[in-house]
Amino acid sequence: MWMWVVHRTTGVAVFFFLLVHVLDTALVRVSPEAYNEVIGSYKTPLYAIIEAGLVAAIALHAFNGLRIIAVDRSTWALRHQRQLVWAVWIGFAILMLGFLPRHLMHAFGGA
């Protein structure tokens, strides 16, 4: 049940990011100056944290989506859902542990 909630929540978060992305990219045709100002505002530590949340939402949604595909297509996966949920969280943690340090160092003035 909780993975259902996680999957829907991350899906909605990614959808809203894509909506904002399309709108701010479309702004370049309306006013290039306003577009440059909006894009410039994305280069702040706050947006770096939001960007890390976006990567987390995409990764979790993707790993859980693979679990859902496996459960839909395999009786083995259907019987081992608890282990697959753990695999989703472990894969997510490994990916984020590889991504976050470098991303945050870059965002907060490091290398």
Side-chain angles (χ1 to χ4, degrees):
M1 171 69 179
W2 285 111
M3 291 308 282
W4 182 89
V5 172
V6 166
H7 198 70
R8 284 355 179 241
T9 303
T10 57
V12 168
V14 171
F15 169 77
F16 280 115
F17 162 76
L18 289 173
L19 180 65
V20 169
H21 178 64
V22 167
L23 292 174
D24 70 11
T25 302
L27 189 59
V28 76
R29 296 192 44 85
V30 176
S31 170
E33 296 81 23
Y35 171 79
N36 289 333
E37 185 176 324
V38 168
I39 295 302
S41 73
Y42 292 162
K43 296 178 174 131
T44 65
L46 173 64
Y47 280 98
I49 293 169
I50 292 170
E51 192 174 44
L54 171 65
V55 170
I58 291 170
L60 192 50
H61 192 79
F63 285 136
N64 194 49
L66 292 173
R67 181 192 67 84
I68 291 168
I69 291 169
V71 167
D72 285 348
R73 299 211 176 255
S74 166
T75 57
W76 177 89
L78 187 60
R79 289 189 313 266
H80 294 89
Q81 285 195 55
R82 184 176 304 265
Q83 292 89 341
L84 290 174
V85 167
W86 277 104
V88 165
W89 286 109
I90 290 168
F92 170 73
I94 290 169
L95 188 129
M96 292 308 290
L97 286 172
F99 168 75
L100 278 177
R102 175 88 170 124
H103 175 68
L104 295 177
M105 269 191 329
H106 177 72
F108 290 100

